[in-house]
Amino acid sequence: MSTLGQSNLQTSHIQWTDYTWNPWLGCVRMSAGCDFCYMHRMMQGQNSSVVTKNTGGFNKPFGIQGSQKIFTCSMSDFFIDQADAWRLDAWKIIKSTPQHTYLILTKRVGRIKNHLPPDWGIHGYPNVILGTSIEDQSVINRMVTLSKLKTVDSKFKLFLSIEPLLGPVDLIANKTLEDAFKLMDWVIVGGESGDAPIGTPGYTFYYRPCDLAWIDKIIADCKLQNIPFFLKQVGNHLANKYQLKDKKGGDISEWDPRYQIRMWP
Ligand code: SF4
């Protein structure tokens, strides 16, 4: 495995992307991983469960210089039904800016197939990487659903984001999972960030515990299948436990060398 540094051009606080683009804002929670979603925290005071078109930011990719990694919908879910009316226009922007790579992450993985652009075909768009997000083994079937988007001839890439990591994950627990996992081109892991330990009075957005053994197992599974792995952050629970200065994963030299893995697909 090789370790790559961050891009100098990074303007997002998210370690695995250069930019974020939010053609729409707002989302509805899907599973435990959403409980303390930062989008709801950042939109406090507004009804963050109602999705609105981001009119001012819709065309943002046209103004981004160079060739960048763009995390699409960091403040929503690209495939949420409330955005159906605007998604085709977003796909047109993606297609007409082939210099950028779009990282599209969703928990609504069952909606992807019917909401791809008409010319997606079997190869997809070369500048799009589709991903799904899980937090523990209870939602692992999202990976299986994602993997089914590919046929043997498909060229586009898929990724799995395991953040916030809330419990043990076995990506090769059975043959179905193993076959799906083999089709992943990238795995990102992160612990939960939040304002206070779960249950602390006076807070709304918590962080839950993460365990290094859970991270070790995912690293081992990725090594076994030769899938690039990226540890974004260990989360506030472990950052506090190990008294890390940078709790957001900005200084990976604070981590034990075996966790200093930041690979790209
Ligand atoms: S799907 Fe993503 S954006 Fe939507 S509530 Fe869950 S974590 Fe937040």
PDB file of all heavy atoms in Angstrom, residues 27-29 34 37 40 76-77 107-108, ligand 1:
ATOM      1  N   CYS A  27     -31.827  17.302   3.962  1.00  0.00           N
ATOM      2  CA  CYS A  27     -31.889  15.853   3.806  1.00  0.00           C
ATOM      3  C   CYS A  27     -32.764  15.259   4.915  1.00  0.00           C
ATOM      4  O   CYS A  27     -33.069  15.930   5.905  1.00  0.00           O
ATOM      5  CB  CYS A  27     -30.477  15.269   3.882  1.00  0.00           C
ATOM      6  SG  CYS A  27     -30.343  13.568   3.307  1.00  0.00           S
ATOM      7  N   VAL A  28     -33.144  14.016   4.720  1.00  0.00           N
ATOM      8  CA  VAL A  28     -33.944  13.294   5.714  1.00  0.00           C
ATOM      9  C   VAL A  28     -33.110  12.109   6.206  1.00  0.00           C
ATOM     10  O   VAL A  28     -32.496  11.405   5.402  1.00  0.00           O
ATOM     11  CB  VAL A  28     -35.265  12.802   5.084  1.00  0.00           C
ATOM     12  CG1 VAL A  28     -36.077  11.989   6.092  1.00  0.00           C
ATOM     13  CG2 VAL A  28     -36.076  13.983   4.558  1.00  0.00           C
ATOM     14  N   ARG A  29     -33.093  11.916   7.504  1.00  0.00           N
ATOM     15  CA  ARG A  29     -32.270  10.847   8.077  1.00  0.00           C
ATOM     16  C   ARG A  29     -32.725   9.465   7.603  1.00  0.00           C
ATOM     17  O   ARG A  29     -33.926   9.241   7.423  1.00  0.00           O
ATOM     18  CB  ARG A  29     -32.308  10.919   9.602  1.00  0.00           C
ATOM     19  CG  ARG A  29     -31.547  12.117  10.178  1.00  0.00           C
ATOM     20  CD  ARG A  29     -31.640  12.128  11.705  1.00  0.00           C
ATOM     21  NE  ARG A  29     -30.785  13.146  12.307  1.00  0.00           N
ATOM     22  CZ  ARG A  29     -31.169  14.397  12.587  1.00  0.00           C
ATOM     23  NH1 ARG A  29     -32.392  14.797  12.286  1.00  0.00           N
ATOM     24  NH2 ARG A  29     -30.320  15.257  13.154  1.00  0.00           N
ATOM     25  N   CYS A  34     -26.924   8.686  10.470  1.00  0.00           N
ATOM     26  CA  CYS A  34     -27.429  10.047  10.220  1.00  0.00           C
ATOM     27  C   CYS A  34     -27.769  10.792  11.506  1.00  0.00           C
ATOM     28  O   CYS A  34     -28.050  11.992  11.459  1.00  0.00           O
ATOM     29  CB  CYS A  34     -28.705   9.986   9.383  1.00  0.00           C
ATOM     30  SG  CYS A  34     -28.561   9.204   7.770  1.00  0.00           S
ATOM     31  N   CYS A  37     -25.813  13.964  12.050  1.00  0.00           N
ATOM     32  CA  CYS A  37     -25.297  14.471  10.772  1.00  0.00           C
ATOM     33  C   CYS A  37     -24.979  15.967  10.853  1.00  0.00           C
ATOM     34  O   CYS A  37     -25.796  16.761  11.309  1.00  0.00           O
ATOM     35  CB  CYS A  37     -26.366  14.217   9.713  1.00  0.00           C
ATOM     36  SG  CYS A  37     -26.153  15.123   8.185  1.00  0.00           S
ATOM     37  N   HIS A  40     -27.437  18.675   9.508  1.00  0.00           N
ATOM     38  CA  HIS A  40     -28.531  19.135  10.366  1.00  0.00           C
ATOM     39  C   HIS A  40     -28.007  20.115  11.423  1.00  0.00           C
ATOM     40  O   HIS A  40     -28.699  21.059  11.784  1.00  0.00           O
ATOM     41  CB  HIS A  40     -29.217  17.937  11.034  1.00  0.00           C
ATOM     42  CG  HIS A  40     -29.993  17.094  10.062  1.00  0.00           C
ATOM     43  ND1 HIS A  40     -31.152  17.517   9.452  1.00  0.00           N
ATOM     44  CD2 HIS A  40     -29.772  15.849   9.574  1.00  0.00           C
ATOM     45  CE1 HIS A  40     -31.616  16.560   8.643  1.00  0.00           C
ATOM     46  NE2 HIS A  40     -30.780  15.545   8.696  1.00  0.00           N
ATOM     47  N   SER A  76     -26.437  17.108   1.614  1.00  0.00           N
ATOM     48  CA  SER A  76     -27.690  16.473   1.214  1.00  0.00           C
ATOM     49  C   SER A  76     -27.367  15.053   0.779  1.00  0.00           C
ATOM     50  O   SER A  76     -26.308  14.516   1.109  1.00  0.00           O
ATOM     51  CB  SER A  76     -28.359  17.258   0.072  1.00  0.00           C
ATOM     52  OG  SER A  76     -29.623  16.692  -0.235  1.00  0.00           O
ATOM     53  N   ASP A  77     -28.280  14.457   0.049  1.00  0.00           N
ATOM     54  CA  ASP A  77     -28.044  13.146  -0.558  1.00  0.00           C
ATOM     55  C   ASP A  77     -28.405  13.308  -2.028  1.00  0.00           C
ATOM     56  O   ASP A  77     -29.540  13.685  -2.353  1.00  0.00           O
ATOM     57  CB  ASP A  77     -28.927  12.090   0.128  1.00  0.00           C
ATOM     58  CG  ASP A  77     -28.623  10.680  -0.347  1.00  0.00           C
ATOM     59  OD1 ASP A  77     -28.419  10.492  -1.563  1.00  0.00           O
ATOM     60  OD2 ASP A  77     -28.594   9.761   0.491  1.00  0.00           O
ATOM     61  N   LYS A 107     -26.870   7.335   0.682  1.00  0.00           N
ATOM     62  CA  LYS A 107     -27.437   6.226   1.458  1.00  0.00           C
ATOM     63  C   LYS A 107     -28.657   5.662   0.738  1.00  0.00           C
ATOM     64  O   LYS A 107     -29.153   4.605   1.109  1.00  0.00           O
ATOM     65  CB  LYS A 107     -27.833   6.708   2.856  1.00  0.00           C
ATOM     66  CG  LYS A 107     -26.654   6.917   3.805  1.00  0.00           C
ATOM     67  CD  LYS A 107     -27.129   7.114   5.233  1.00  0.00           C
ATOM     68  CE  LYS A 107     -25.971   7.148   6.228  1.00  0.00           C
ATOM     69  NZ  LYS A 107     -25.164   8.374   6.149  1.00  0.00           N
ATOM     70  N   ARG A 108     -29.123   6.368  -0.291  1.00  0.00           N
ATOM     71  CA  ARG A 108     -30.314   5.918  -1.034  1.00  0.00           C
ATOM     72  C   ARG A 108     -29.870   5.110  -2.245  1.00  0.00           C
ATOM     73  O   ARG A 108     -30.213   5.421  -3.391  1.00  0.00           O
ATOM     74  CB  ARG A 108     -31.148   7.140  -1.411  1.00  0.00           C
ATOM     75  CG  ARG A 108     -31.810   7.754  -0.181  1.00  0.00           C
ATOM     76  CD  ARG A 108     -32.162   9.202  -0.347  1.00  0.00           C
ATOM     77  NE  ARG A 108     -32.923   9.693   0.798  1.00  0.00           N
ATOM     78  CZ  ARG A 108     -32.365  10.188   1.919  1.00  0.00           C
ATOM     79  NH1 ARG A 108     -31.045  10.249   2.036  1.00  0.00           N
ATOM     80  NH2 ARG A 108     -33.124  10.613   2.918  1.00  0.00           N
TER      81      ARG A 108
HETATM   82  S1  SF4 B   1     -28.131  10.767   4.294  1.00  0.00           S
HETATM   83 FE1  SF4 B   1     -26.261  11.960   4.666  1.00  0.00          FE
HETATM   84  S2  SF4 B   1     -26.879  14.120   4.496  1.00  0.00           S
HETATM   85 FE2  SF4 B   1     -28.749  12.871   4.729  1.00  0.00          FE
HETATM   86  S3  SF4 B   1     -29.171  12.935   6.940  1.00  0.00           S
HETATM   87 FE3  SF4 B   1     -27.982  11.077   6.498  1.00  0.00          FE
HETATM   88  S4  SF4 B   1     -25.843  11.673   6.861  1.00  0.00           S
HETATM   89 FE4  SF4 B   1     -27.041  13.555   6.658  1.00  0.00          FE
END
